[in-house]
Amino acid sequence: MTLSELINHALAELEHPADSAGLPLWRDKLTGFANDAIDDLTRTLRPWRRDPAVLRDGTIDLSTLPYTVSKVLGVERDGRRIPFYYGASTETLRTKGVKDGPVDVVYRYLPEPLHAPNDVPQLPPACHALIVQYMVARFTMHNDAQGQSHANMMLSLYEQRKRRLRMNLDEPEGYSIQNRW
């Protein structure tokens, strides 16, 4: 879903008008809540990707990857793991005794915040409904006692769904034991 669709879904759940007059009133606030949800989901789910990169002179430039790297989990070639270490900066990886050529980098990434109406959250599509749920909960949190009670229930459901989702989106080899001898 795009940011516009996330906002429209949240406004529909809140029973607020999503017309041209009502949308500008809520866009900035709901965009902030959507970005807060993305930050929260990123800390909990620790999303990861596997993207191709090029090894040149024993160095891999991480800035060529499509997403901002928060932690490298592994480097592979033809399904075999390659030992690595960080180079002079966190933007480069170094390897020893490995021929130049294509490699796959497995890494955790940081999603970009949403700004434009057509921005799509850089999280799996299964997270998009959670983002809407979080937006609605945060929006209703500032209302009367009944709204706060509803917000607490929504946040509780959000936390349950987030825990369930984490079991399905965990890191590769996160729970495996590898025999290296």
Side-chain angles (χ1 to χ4, degrees), residues 146-171:
Q146 182 181 3
Q148 289 176 1
S149 175
H150 181 258
N152 287 337
M153 181 192 71
M154 293 282 289
L155 285 175
S156 176
L157 289 172
Y158 167 80
E159 291 294 332
Q160 287 177 356
R161 291 178 66 192
K162 184 172 68 168
R163 279 193 301 273
R164 202 173 311 132
L165 189 60
R166 181 167 183 206
M167 289 186 277
N168 297 330
L169 298 176
D170 212 355
E171 295 174 6

Side-chain angles (χ1 to χ4, degrees), residues 44 58 71 117 141:
T44 301
K71 181 179 181 179
M141 201 177 277

Side-chain angles (χ1 to χ4, degrees), residues 26-90:
W26 310 114
R27 179 181 292 127
D28 291 341
K29 184 179 244 185
L30 290 173
T31 299
F33 292 155
N35 286 324
D36 290 347
I38 290 169
D39 290 343
D40 182 57
L41 289 168
T42 300
R43 277 192 308 276
T44 301
L45 301 176
R46 301 180 327 191
W48 62 274
R49 292 182 51 90
R50 178 186 317 268
D51 286 317
V54 177
L55 176 64
R56 284 194 187 102
D57 299 325
T59 303
I60 301 169
D61 183 8
L62 297 177
S63 65
T64 62
L65 295 172
Y67 291 85
T68 304
V69 176
S70 67
K71 181 179 181 179
V72 175
L73 303 173
V75 178
E76 300 174 353
R77 179 179 280 158
D78 300 325
R80 298 189 68 207
R81 294 182 71 103
I82 299 171
F84 67 91
Y85 59 95
Y86 283 95
S89 73
T90 57

Side-chain angles (χ1 to χ4, degrees), residues 128-139:
H128 295 184
L130 281 173
I131 294 170
V132 171
Q133 189 173 17
Y134 185 90
M135 291 165 66
V136 170
R138 286 283 305 274
F139 192 89

